[in-house]
Amino acid sequence: MMKKWITFDLDGTLMQNPFGKWVFPAIEERISKQLQQPFKSTEALVREHELRMQQNRTVEAYDWDDMVQQLLKELQLELDINVEQLVLDHSVTPKIFLLEENVTSVLKQLKEKGYSLATVTNGFYKYQYPVMQQLGLSEWFDEIITPEKAGCGKPDVNILRELQRSGQIVAHVGDRLDHDVYLSNKSGIPSVLIYHKLPESLKAYRPKERAETTEFMGICEKKLKAENSHVDMNPYPSEYVPSYVLYRMEELLECV
């Protein structure tokens, strides 16, 4: 029997990882201390990440250990900074958390409906799994797809090829237009955008109807510009229009 997959992004969709508020600041503190002056290492790392993405190096763009070592070499610093270990050190509550309390309940209900679940994330396995395990997410997923395992990262459609060989992907859920919605639409998969800041005026609409409103298209234009300023938005490209828009994960149950 062919599997029916529902795939999920992780960060910004199901959970909050420790990178922004804990891991990157810890790196910045160590480098600044060694240099004996403030140094914005987070900005330098993000610049390198964006450069690698622009060069379509979608695996290397999420290898934070490699990017940190490259930065240390450029700064001529001998420092022992292990990003994987920092993630492990900070994978504790309240530094990490589920974005909605009922996330695992929704995943459980989807499994009971017969769906196979997979994460499709741009975070390396060694950075994501400790967070997933601590938050009780890992037990609900049949597959965890990451760039270093797939040989590419989102929005490259090839990141889905192994899952598509084993069954049909009936929906992909994520919080980004440039990665998740684009990936879904280019792969011929219904794209589900989770948008927790949905205005009250749009909550009355059904998930399928929201993306068709003028109000939400205005939100999409601003959101996509913030995510990827290189996209030509005149006119707004159809591949970045989600099939469904959710403001809470429970709404997914009425979409599949």
Side-chain angles (χ1 to χ4, degrees):
M1 184 177 176
M2 181 177 285
K3 290 183 178 180
K4 286 192 174 182
W5 291 98
I6 298 177
T7 58
F8 293 82
D9 172 56
L10 285 173
D11 303 313
T13 298
L14 299 179
M15 70 184 198
Q16 176 61 57
N17 68 40
F19 271 88
K21 290 189 175 180
W22 302 100
V23 174
F24 286 142
I27 294 169
E28 197 153 302
E29 181 182 0
R30 293 187 188 184
I31 290 177
S32 296
K33 184 177 180 181
Q34 188 77 357
L35 290 172
Q36 297 184 327
Q37 62 180 4
F39 180 78
K40 295 181 179 180
S41 62
T42 303
E43 290 185 9
L45 290 169
V46 170
R47 280 197 302 271
E48 177 61 24
H49 160 76
E50 291 176 345
L51 174 63
R52 294 183 182 195
M53 285 298 287
Q54 290 169 19
Q55 295 172 339
N56 202 34
R57 297 158 62 195
T58 54
V59 177
E60 295 170 85
Y62 289 91
D63 189 345
W64 295 107
D65 276 295
D66 178 69
M67 286 183 279
V68 166
Q69 293 308 310
Q70 177 178 299
L71 179 60
L72 292 175
K73 186 176 181 180
E74 291 171 359
L75 295 171
Q76 297 182 317
L77 292 179
E78 291 189 11
L79 265 177
D80 181 18
I81 297 180
N82 185 316
V83 179
E84 180 182 2
Q85 186 59 51
L86 285 172
V87 171
L88 289 170
D89 293 343
H90 293 286
S91 288
V92 294
T93 53
K95 294 179 179 181
I96 59 172
F97 51 88
L98 294 175
L99 294 177
E100 296 181 45
E101 289 183 1
N102 69 338
V103 161
T104 53
S105 172
V106 172
L107 298 177
K108 181 175 183 290
Q109 290 179 71
L110 290 171
K111 296 281 282 187
E112 289 172 347
K113 284 174 174 280
Y115 292 106
S116 298
L117 306 183
T119 68
V120 179
T121 172
N122 275 350
F124 277 24
Y125 186 90
K126 63 182 180 180
Y127 306 140
Q128 299 289 47
Y129 188 76
V131 183
M132 292 179 67
Q133 190 174 39
Q134 185 66 25
L135 294 175
L137 284 175
S138 55
E139 63 186 278
W140 299 106
F141 289 97
D142 304 282
E143 295 288 346
I144 300 173
I145 309 298
T146 59
E148 81 283 12
K149 291 164 67 175
C152 59
K154 297 183 293 186
D156 190 328
V157 297
N158 289 309
I159 197 171
L160 299 175
R161 62 181 179 269
E162 290 301 321
L163 284 183
Q164 289 173 317
R165 287 171 183 165
S166 65
Q168 177 189 8
I169 303 175
V170 299
H172 174 69
V173 187
D175 69 309
R176 290 187 62 143
L177 296 167
D178 65 337
H179 288 175
D180 299 300
V181 170
Y182 179 91
L183 171 70
S184 306
N185 291 341
K186 280 293 187 181
S187 303
I189 296 164
S191 53
V192 183
L193 180 72
I194 181 79
Y195 191 74
H196 293 108
K197 296 180 181 179
L198 194 73
E200 288 295 327
S201 57
L202 289 173
K203 290 180 181 178
Y205 290 86
R206 299 181 70 84
K208 183 70 173 175
E209 299 169 341
R210 291 169 185 156
E212 300 169 358
T213 65
T214 302
E215 183 178 3
F216 195 76
M217 284 309 301
I219 291 172
C220 283
E221 288 178 6
K222 293 179 181 177
K223 180 172 171 59
L224 182 56
K225 187 175 182 179
E227 291 176 352
N228 192 333
S229 60
H230 301 287
V231 176
D232 182 6
M233 291 194 290
N234 188 24
Y236 186 89
S238 60
E239 55 263 38
Y240 296 98
V241 178
S243 308
Y244 300 90
V245 179
L246 317 178
Y247 75 91
R248 53 189 175 87
M249 197 56 68
E250 191 174 1
E251 291 187 302
L252 178 62
L253 296 169
E254 65 180 83
C255 301
V256 296

